[in-house]
Protein backbone atom coordinates (compact mmCIF):
# COMPACT_ATOMS: atom_id res chain seq x y z
CA UNK A 1 0.00 0.00 0.00
CA UNK A 2 1.21 3.45 -0.78
CA UNK A 3 1.76 6.09 1.85
CA UNK A 4 -1.37 7.89 2.97
CA UNK A 5 -1.60 11.53 3.97
CA UNK A 6 -2.80 11.64 7.57
CA UNK A 7 -2.57 15.32 8.49
CA UNK A 8 -0.61 18.49 7.99
CA UNK A 9 2.59 18.78 10.01
CA UNK A 10 1.19 21.97 11.55
CA UNK A 11 -1.74 20.01 13.00
CA UNK A 12 0.64 18.10 15.26
CA UNK A 13 1.22 19.84 18.55
CA UNK A 14 4.70 19.33 19.93
CA UNK A 15 4.95 16.49 22.45
CA UNK A 16 1.36 15.42 21.95
CA UNK A 17 0.03 12.42 20.13
CA UNK A 18 -2.68 12.45 17.48
CA UNK A 19 -4.66 9.30 16.77
CA UNK A 20 -5.25 8.49 13.12
CA UNK A 21 -6.66 5.40 11.44
CA UNK A 22 -5.07 4.32 8.19
CA UNK A 23 -6.52 1.35 6.34
CA UNK A 24 -8.16 0.21 9.56
CA UNK A 25 -4.93 0.47 11.55
CA UNK A 26 -5.03 2.84 14.56
CA UNK A 27 -1.78 4.80 14.72
CA UNK A 28 -0.45 7.35 17.21
CA UNK A 29 1.42 10.14 15.41
CA UNK A 30 3.80 12.13 17.57
CA UNK A 31 5.90 15.21 16.90
CA UNK A 32 8.71 15.79 19.35
CA UNK A 33 10.36 19.03 20.40
CA UNK A 34 13.02 18.58 17.68
CA UNK A 35 10.32 18.29 14.99
CA UNK A 36 10.88 14.57 14.51
CA UNK A 37 7.64 12.78 13.69
CA UNK A 38 6.95 9.19 14.78
CA UNK A 39 4.13 6.78 14.06
CA UNK A 40 3.49 3.77 16.26
CA UNK A 41 0.62 1.38 16.78
CA UNK A 42 -1.95 3.20 18.91
CA UNK A 43 -3.16 0.24 20.95
CA UNK A 44 -1.23 -0.59 24.10
CA UNK A 45 -0.11 -4.23 24.11
CA UNK A 46 -1.17 -4.61 27.74
CA UNK A 47 -4.80 -3.62 27.28
CA UNK A 48 -7.18 -2.02 24.85
CA UNK A 49 -6.02 1.51 25.59
CA UNK A 50 -5.22 4.23 23.06
CA UNK A 51 -1.59 5.28 23.52
CA UNK A 52 -2.34 8.63 21.92
CA UNK A 53 -4.31 9.47 25.09
CA UNK A 54 -1.09 9.02 27.05
CA UNK A 55 1.88 11.22 27.79
CA UNK A 56 4.76 12.03 25.48
CA UNK A 57 8.16 12.53 27.05
CA UNK A 58 11.28 12.72 24.93
CA UNK A 59 11.17 9.78 22.54
CA UNK A 60 8.64 7.82 24.56
CA UNK A 61 4.90 7.66 25.06
CA UNK A 62 3.37 6.45 28.31
CA UNK A 63 0.14 4.51 28.54
CA UNK A 64 -2.11 6.30 31.03
CA UNK A 65 -3.71 3.11 32.28
CA UNK A 66 -0.81 1.34 34.01
CA UNK A 67 2.24 3.40 33.12
CA UNK A 68 4.12 1.36 30.53
CA UNK A 69 6.31 3.61 28.41
CA UNK A 70 6.93 2.71 24.78
CA UNK A 71 9.86 3.84 22.67
CA UNK A 72 8.69 5.95 19.74
CA UNK A 73 11.66 4.72 17.71
CA UNK A 74 11.47 0.97 18.33
CA UNK A 75 7.94 0.45 19.68
CA UNK A 76 9.36 -1.56 22.57
CA UNK A 77 7.96 -1.17 26.06
CA UNK A 78 10.54 0.19 28.47
CA UNK A 79 8.82 -1.02 31.63
CA UNK A 80 6.15 -3.44 32.77
CA UNK A 81 3.33 -4.33 32.72
CA UNK A 82 3.42 -4.27 28.89
CA UNK A 83 6.09 -6.55 27.46
CA UNK A 84 5.15 -6.85 23.78
CA UNK A 85 6.21 -4.07 21.37
CA UNK A 86 3.82 -2.03 19.28
CA UNK A 87 4.54 -1.67 15.55
CA UNK A 88 6.48 1.33 14.27
CA UNK A 89 5.61 2.79 10.88
CA UNK A 90 7.61 4.72 8.32
CA UNK A 91 6.82 8.43 8.28
CA UNK A 92 7.42 10.75 5.37
CA UNK A 93 7.05 14.51 5.42
CA UNK A 94 6.34 16.06 2.04
CA UNK A 95 5.18 19.61 1.35
CA UNK A 96 4.21 20.08 4.98
CA UNK A 97 2.06 16.94 5.00
CA UNK A 98 2.60 13.83 7.11
CA UNK A 99 2.39 10.55 5.19
CA UNK A 100 2.36 7.06 6.67
CA UNK A 101 2.48 3.67 5.03
CA UNK A 102 0.59 1.33 7.41
CA UNK A 103 1.93 -1.74 5.65
CA UNK A 104 5.57 -0.70 5.97
CA UNK A 105 6.89 -1.37 9.43
CA UNK A 106 10.33 -0.38 10.57
CA UNK A 107 12.65 -3.02 11.91
CA UNK A 108 12.81 -2.81 15.68
CA UNK A 109 16.04 -1.21 16.79
S1 LIG B 1 -3.23 -0.95 29.32
FE1 LIG B 1 -1.39 0.07 28.83
S2 LIG B 1 -0.06 -0.39 30.48
FE2 LIG B 1 -1.90 -1.43 30.98
Amino acid sequence: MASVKVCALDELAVNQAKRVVVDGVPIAVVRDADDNVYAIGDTCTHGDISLSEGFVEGQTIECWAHGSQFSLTSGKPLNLPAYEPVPVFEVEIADGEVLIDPSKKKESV
Side-chain angles (χ1 to χ4, degrees):
M1 183 177 173
S3 293
V4 174
K5 178 190 145 190
V6 294
C7 62
L9 183 59
D10 287 350
E11 289 174 49
L12 296 176
V14 170
N15 287 338
Q16 283 183 23
K18 180 180 175 68
R19 183 180 194 270
V20 299
V21 178
V22 180
D23 200 28
V25 180
I27 297 174
V29 186
V30 179
R31 177 181 185 175
D32 74 9
D34 295 324
D35 275 347
N36 299 307
V37 178
Y38 307 93
I40 66 170
D42 187 50
T43 308
C44 180
T45 54
H46 180 242
D48 191 16
I49 296 291
S50 173
L51 290 177
S52 57
E53 295 172 3
F55 316 103
V56 176
E57 195 183 326
Q59 291 184 319
T60 67
I61 189 163
E62 181 180 329
C63 178
W64 61 263
H66 310 106
S68 280
Q69 282 187 309
F70 291 82
S71 164
L72 292 170
T73 56
S74 71
K76 290 181 181 167
L78 305 175
N79 56 331
L80 294 171
Y83 59 88
E84 296 279 348
V86 293
V88 176
F89 301 96
E90 297 283 350
V91 178
E92 213 181 301
I93 310 291
D95 297 329
E97 307 284 358
V98 179
L99 300 119
I100 294 173
D101 184 344
S103 64
K104 201 192 280 180
K105 294 179 187 167
K106 275 189 196 171
E107 295 293 318
S108 284
V109 186

